[in-house]
Amino acid sequence: MDVVTLGESMVTFLPSRPGRLADVPSFDRGIGGAESNVACGLAAAGHSVKWVSRVGADGFGDHLVETIASYGVDTSAVRRDPVRPTGIYFRTAGERATDAHEVAYYRTGSAASTMATDTVDLDVLRSGRVLHLSGITAALSGDCLGLLRELTARRPGRPLVSFDVNHRPGLWRDTEGPRVLLDLARAADIVFVGDDEARDAWGLHGAAAVREALPEPALLVVKQGERGATVFDKNTGGMGEDAADTATFVGALHVDVIAHVGAGDAFAAGFLSATLRGLPVRDRIRHGHLMAAAALTVPGDLAAPPAREHADRLVALDDGAWGTLRLGPGWTRANEEVRTA
């Protein structure tokens, strides 16, 4: 496998119209889960990917497994729990950052919360070139946190460990979440973190401050929202924790946004895809931005990425042409882009 991912996926209920959850009359069913989103994006981009998780022996579990498999993801390592249910959640249509946004999770005691070193196959998890994890899993239970600590332990033969911090304060039962996430991130090889969550979790301001707090990862990706992303790469400056960094910033694209959900996962998928292909850091960031743009222009978590040839053509544009791109709904299917003036 190119990539193995581990994490909870849930059935998502998307509102049929804007408004409070109390006022929305009906919902459309989808799926959502940080690690399964990355898996689906990578599989759609042509990589071999396995998703490892636990779901309930129920209809929602059937829907999750069947839908994720339909993207080309190997779901053979997903286990069914005969007692605990598959997690679900409802959300409003608004932007997550606003006070009007509501999310109602029904995941406490879910099948995925029982993932542990003795309920998943560790050899399967270590069988890919890359193992992708996120901080969400660490927050689900003590057993889940123990599993992530085992998987991020630096041992000979460990696959390349990719870790998306995904700080979700509402999931943590105590105040230890930020410290735990920092420890896990420092143990990974590739780390994705938003500058907003680094500020909220660790009190860090700016990409350089994040790097100072996380010197260990070979690649540190600091996502800076609508500005773009900065990647610190020590591979170009030698090896070891004291190796010199190269910092690369690439501005984000102009996007006509439909919904912000799933954009961070899509960025990670695009960046990892380009990493697996051995592309330069600048191109990896650009592929991340393009995959994020695909997610931003659909209402749900998952979007069909652009064809590889189309994405490569856009990534190869000079800085001036890249800066004039404007992408709207349907741009991946139309195989064309809209340029700003």
Side-chain angles (χ1 to χ4, degrees):
M1 287 288 161
D2 288 332
V3 181
V4 177
T5 70
L6 167 81
E8 179 173 36
S9 190
M10 294 179 292
V11 173
T12 310
F13 289 94
L14 310 173
S16 57
R17 71 182 190 195
R20 301 183 310 155
L21 286 178
D23 300 328
V24 175
S26 60
F27 297 81
D28 295 320
R29 184 181 64 177
I31 67 169
E35 301 86 359
S36 60
N37 287 347
V38 172
C40 290
L42 284 165
H47 298 281
S48 57
V49 191
K50 185 187 294 285
W51 172 57
V52 180
S53 189
R54 290 177 67 84
V55 300
D58 49 35
F60 289 144
D62 293 340
H63 176 65
L64 279 176
V65 174
E66 292 166 6
T67 302
I68 293 170
S70 73
Y71 282 83
V73 176
D74 183 336
T75 59
S76 61
V78 177
R79 297 291 174 256
R80 312 301 291 263
D81 192 308
V83 177
R84 296 171 180 82
T86 303
I88 64 173
Y89 74 96
F90 298 77
R91 66 171 175 83
T92 52
E95 162 58 28
R96 280 178 174 167
T98 68
D99 292 337
H101 183 70
E102 297 175 75
V103 181
Y105 287 106
Y106 299 89
R107 72 194 308 176
T108 302
S110 69
S113 69
T114 66
M115 292 188 296
T117 55
D118 58 352
T119 62
V120 298
D121 190 326
L122 296 178
D123 290 336
V124 168
L125 286 168
R126 292 166 173 149
S127 64
R129 294 170 59 191
V130 175
L131 171 61
H132 181 71
L133 309 167
S134 96
I136 294 174
T137 304
L140 296 181
S141 68
D143 283 341
C144 285
L145 174 55
L147 175 60
L148 258 64
R149 283 177 168 153
E150 169 64 25
L151 293 171
T152 56
R154 294 187 180 276
R155 294 191 176 97
R158 186 184 83 166
L160 198 70
V161 173
S162 167
F163 182 73
D164 194 333
V165 171
N166 265 323
H167 179 229
R168 300 287 188 268
L171 290 178
W172 291 92
R173 298 167 181 82
D174 53 40
T175 60
E176 290 298 299
R179 181 191 61 78
V180 169
L181 293 174
L182 186 64
D183 289 344
L184 291 171
R186 294 183 68 180
D189 302 300
I190 303 174
V191 172
F192 299 92
V193 62
D195 60 354
D196 55 345
E197 59 185 346
R199 181 183 62 250
D200 294 342
W202 305 319
L204 301 174
H205 297 270
V210 179
R211 183 47 154 174
E212 185 175 353
L214 288 168
E216 294 88 354
L219 286 164
L220 172 64
V221 183
V222 182
K223 298 173 290 182
Q224 296 161 287
E226 295 181 354
R227 284 192 57 228
T230 298
V231 172
F232 296 92
D233 173 22
K234 68 172 58 175
N235 289 330
T236 57
M239 299 301 292
E241 293 184 6
D242 297 327
D245 260 336
T246 298
T248 304
F249 172 81
V250 176
L253 294 160
H254 302 286
V255 180
D256 297 326
V257 177
I258 298 298
H260 287 83
V261 294
D265 303 328
F267 182 95
F271 187 91
L272 290 175
S273 173
T275 299
L276 287 163
R277 296 171 61 197
L279 300 184
V281 169
R282 187 210 68 163
D283 293 2
R284 300 182 197 187
I285 304 172
R286 286 190 171 189
H287 275 284
H289 284 323
L290 288 169
M291 290 278 270
L296 288 167
T297 50
V298 299
D301 284 42
L302 295 171
R308 180 174 290 186
E309 296 78 11
H310 185 201
D312 284 346
R313 179 170 60 84
L314 297 181
V315 165
L317 293 172
D318 61 40
D319 290 343
W322 175 264
T324 66
L325 287 177
R326 188 176 190 96
L327 305 175
W331 73 272
T332 60
R333 297 191 304 273
N335 199 36
E336 62 185 26
E337 65 279 357
V338 179
R339 294 174 184 264
T340 60

